[in-house]
Structures are given as C-alpha cells and as structure tokens.
Amino acid sequence: DTAVSQTPKYLVTQMGNDKSIKCEQNLGHDTMYWYKQDSKKFLKIMFSYNNKELIINETVPNRFSPKSPDKAHLNLHINSLELGDSAVYFCASSQRRGTWPERGTQYFGPGTRLTVL
Amino acid sequence: AQSVTQLGSHVSVSEGALVLLRCNYSSSVPPYLFWYVQYPNQGLQLLLKYTSAATLVKGINGFEAEFKKSETSFHLTKPSAHMSDAAEYFCAVSIQGAQKLVFGQGTRLTINP
C-alpha cells in the first residue's frame, strides 16, 4: 500500500500553460506539505496545510496555489508556467498531534518531475 | 533560525568500507534531527531520527547516527558499505512546533566495487 502518492510522476509542458499535481496520503495524518527540489537537489518547503488550513507559505509566487479538499489530499496548481518552475515536487505528510518527534516525522511521496519547455 | 550543513557534496567509498556522512546543525533550541535517503528517481525515505531518548540512533539498512550536542553534529555512519547504498543522503532539522523540515544540501554517496 502506497502511503503518500502523487500523480503524475512526470509532467512535460510548455511555458505559459497551467498544470496541477495531485497528492494523497493514507496514513491518517492531518498535515501535508509541498517541497520543491531544484536541479542541484536542494529541497525547500513551499506550503504546509493542517486540516485543510494553510499553515506555511514560504514566499512562493502567487502562480502556485495549493488546495486541500480534505486532510488526506493536497493538490498543487501552477499557473503560467515558467522555465524556472522545472523541478521535482514532493508531497509529504505528518501527524501534528501526539508526542515529538513522531508527530513531526514527515513521510514523502515519490515526487513529480516537472519539465517546462 | 535552525539550519543544517552537510560537509561534502560527494562522498566515495569502496564496497565494504566505512561510510561517514557529516551533518552539523544550528538551532537555538533542542532540535529534532532526521536523515533521509533518496535513491535515483525515487522519493525520500526516512533512514532514522533523533528522538532525544538516546544519542546513538539506529536506522534502517544498517545505518546509525550519533547526536553530539557539544559538537552540534549528527553524523551518519555504516560500518560496511554495500553497492545498494549508492544514493543521495539528506540531513534535516525540525524544532518543536515548527511545521517544516529544513534540509541540508545533500551528500551523494558513491560506492566503488
């Protein structure tokens, strides 16, 4: 059983297009995240949602809009794609309740490789 | 603000040799520390985490890490490298109450036959 899943795995698109990436977790967690991994493998958080509420927005351009229909899903919509958006996007989840560090341990999805041409 | 520094973007060892990947953290409060591994074209897998219950933490695949507060370090080791250990390794820090992980820049581990 896949704990954190993402679709699609690969996404190739033209500049200016709008695209979405979907994420689902079946771990029963209440917090979900989006991270961006650049071409040098550096990982940086973009957003964090807790029970469908936005908790973290790390100075990400407005073209990126996360949406959480329920606590098991967190989607990422990107408008007007630019060349610099090419990266691997990872979804992750964790449980906010309970004791540390278990409550803060994050589990990652397989990633979505976005290529903007 | 908390941060982590991984010394060495690329480490190469022979099969059977000791693996040592270095991680130093900076945090004004007791940190929670993690090591993740990323195999080629895959997601991040949790290797181990520091829970403050013990300074020596054992993880999966024979890896372990030792938390040294005096050195602000959390280095990852494995006594005998295997070809399947070739991957990218990330050290990460979180503090209680924070809702994010801050990652080091990663260390690519290569195993020579």
Side-chain angles (χ1 to χ4, degrees), chain A residues 9 31 33 35 37 41-43 45 48 55-56 58 90 96 100-102 104-110 113, chain B residues 32 34 36 38 41-44 46 49-51 88 90 94-101 103-105:
Chain A
K9 188 168 175 61
T31 305
Y33 312 80
Y35 287 83
Q37 186 176 47
K41 300 280 189 178
F42 184 67
L43 279 151
I45 191 166
S48 167
I55 302 296
I56 292 175
E58 288 279 313
F90 286 103
R96 195 174 187 182
W100 283 86
E102 282 70 25
T105 301
Q106 295 185 21
Y107 296 88
F108 286 77
R113 183 175 293 276
Chain B
Y32 291 102
F34 304 82
Y36 285 86
Q38 184 179 21
N41 296 317
Q42 293 189 28
L44 280 81
L46 180 67
K49 57 190 175 186
Y50 171 61
T51 66
E88 192 89 19
F90 294 93
S94 177
I95 59 171
Q96 188 169 352
Q99 293 294 308
K100 66 179 183 182
L101 288 173
F103 285 88
Q105 61 269 49

Side-chain angles (χ1 to χ4, degrees), chain B residues 13-19 61-63 77-83 85 111:
Chain B
V13 302
S14 299
E15 192 174 17
L18 171 72
V19 174
N61 302 337
F63 284 92
T77 60
K78 181 173 181 177
S80 177
H82 191 272
M83 296 299 291
D85 295 327
I111 311 296

Side-chain angles (χ1 to χ4, degrees), chain A residues 6-75:
Chain A
Q6 294 179 228
T7 54
K9 188 168 175 61
Y10 300 97
L11 188 52
V12 180
T13 188
Q14 300 287 329
M15 261 196 318
N17 284 350
D18 303 337
K19 291 292 178 185
S20 292
I21 305 172
K22 296 185 176 182
C23 178
E24 177 181 1
Q25 55 94 4
N26 63 6
L27 297 168
H29 290 164
D30 58 7
T31 305
M32 297 184 72
Y33 312 80
W34 279 110
Y35 287 83
K36 180 180 181 180
Q37 186 176 47
D38 64 23
S39 58
K40 295 186 179 179
K41 300 280 189 178
F42 184 67
L43 279 151
K44 192 174 191 302
I45 191 166
M46 300 172 69
F47 301 103
S48 167
Y49 266 77
N50 176 258
N51 279 326
K52 302 191 295 178
E53 180 186 352
L54 182 65
I55 302 296
I56 292 175
N57 182 340
E58 288 279 313
T59 61
V60 178
N62 291 337
R63 298 182 295 104
F64 290 79
S65 54
K67 283 186 173 52
S68 181
D70 55 61
K71 67 178 186 179
H73 296 84
L74 180 62
N75 304 323

Side-chain angles (χ1 to χ4, degrees), chain B residues 56-110:
Chain B
L56 184 63
V57 182
K58 293 190 183 300
I60 61 172
N61 302 337
F63 284 92
E64 61 184 33
E66 186 172 8
F67 176 73
K68 290 187 177 180
K69 185 177 179 180
S70 60
E71 299 177 9
T72 61
S73 68
F74 190 56
H75 301 332
L76 182 71
T77 60
K78 181 173 181 177
S80 177
H82 191 272
M83 296 299 291
S84 60
D85 295 327
E88 192 89 19
Y89 291 80
F90 294 93
C91 183
V93 65
S94 177
I95 59 171
Q96 188 169 352
Q99 293 294 308
K100 66 179 183 182
L101 288 173
V102 175
F103 285 88
Q105 61 269 49
T107 298
R108 181 160 60 96
L109 176 64
T110 301

